Amino acid sequence: MFEIIIVALLILLNGVFALSELAVVSSRRARLRSMAEAGRAGAKAALELSEDPGRFLSTVQIGITLIGILAGAYSGSALGEKLSTLLQSFGVEPGMAQPVGIGLVVTIITYFSLVIGELVPKQLALGNPERIACLVAGPMRALSRVAAPFVVLLDLSSRFVFFLLRVKQDRKEVVTEEEIRSLIAEAERAGVIEADERRLISGVFRFGDRKVKALMTPRTDVERLSLAADDAAIREKLLTSSHTRLPVSRDGSDDMAGIVVTSDLVKQLLSGEPLDIEKHIRPAPVIPDTASALDLLELLRSSEEPMALVHDEYGDFEGIVTPADVLGAIAGAFRSDLDEGESEDAFQREDGSWLIAGSMPAEDMAETIGMALPAERGYNTTAGFMLSRLGHLPVTGEHFSHLGWRFEVVDMDGLRIDKVHAQRLNVTTPDP
């Protein structure tokens, strides 16, 4: 009975080492840092072990190896002999009883070592690695100090082998954007975050990768005033426009003078004063269309006017961008921001297909229908995606298949692709 207790204790001790090994290795350092800052007992020690895995793993391996040697030797000599004697009492020949007894003991010990000493502890460690790491870090750190000479020898030996193999040991914990996206998607499936929260977070990631050109309202869609226009035309524009601010051009071309607040002009008209646009022109910040969306955000924050004029590399006016464009890029378009007669960027039909606006950002379109786009691309909108695939200005009805989807131009607004129909194919169709 005493021998069985000794072997059981050795197996449990092996389980402690296996538990400690996987818990520390699987722990997220960021989580351990936050726990250490919060004063959690053992968190600082666990963080030290995770930042020097060579010494920690050497300590664990020394413990597991010694336990394996002791358990094998003790069980074979003590329990094996007793089981052999027991088998002989049942009439088994001595020549057969000894190997059978030792074999049975080794098999049973191996089974319990795998289950109790390895599998169960490791699964427990994976369940809550940071918490368990905090519990075992203190004893493991103390053991590594006691066995310091052997630990250092094993650590240096493993590093020498890595040197011979020309393998660099990169211990930096790097989290990629793709890993974060996968974690967010998993959190949504687990019910930790809502679907709307996931879309907002995804919008923030997309926003950081975008250029101003992908966010702006193009100049062809910009309502503006002209200093060369007569009073009647200006009054008509003020009556029909729903915008609180309008850009102003000097002669009706793309030579922009600034912006005006429409209420300033309305007040001037109501007071009976002569209409004088130049008096109310305010300077607007200018940003190149190749600037990043984050640069735009900083510019709008520091600007006195919530509108920026976008110019290309040649200095030509390309469009305008406002805080509403920034918010829309993250949270999606608001119905109140849509012009009269304008529909949502994407509408799903009953058959599962999508009716997509040509002006919809390509990243939003791809995420909406569940399709991947190349990281390097020369277009920003769904219309640009269609043009890149077709290679020419299309006519209504032209279509192509791409990555399991059939895209068709269903409406043209002059030379602009206005609406696109996207239908998932039953079988992935190769690119044309």
Side-chain angles (χ1 to χ4, degrees), residues 199-215:
R199 281 192 287 269
L200 283 174
I201 297 172
S202 298
V204 171
F205 279 111
R206 292 197 308 272
F207 179 79
D209 296 332
R210 287 181 177 177
K211 302 296 183 183
V212 171
K213 191 172 184 178
L215 303 179

Side-chain angles (χ1 to χ4, degrees), residues 127-168:
N128 197 339
E130 291 83 12
R131 180 183 177 185
I132 295 176
C134 292
L135 294 175
V136 301
M140 288 295 109
R141 187 171 61 175
L143 182 60
S144 67
R145 291 172 179 173
V146 172
F150 302 102
V151 170
V152 171
L153 176 62
L154 291 179
D155 189 29
L156 292 177
S157 300
S158 61
R159 292 186 183 187
F160 179 69
V161 173
F162 279 120
F163 172 76
L164 293 178
L165 296 176
R166 300 293 191 271
V167 177
K168 294 183 178 180

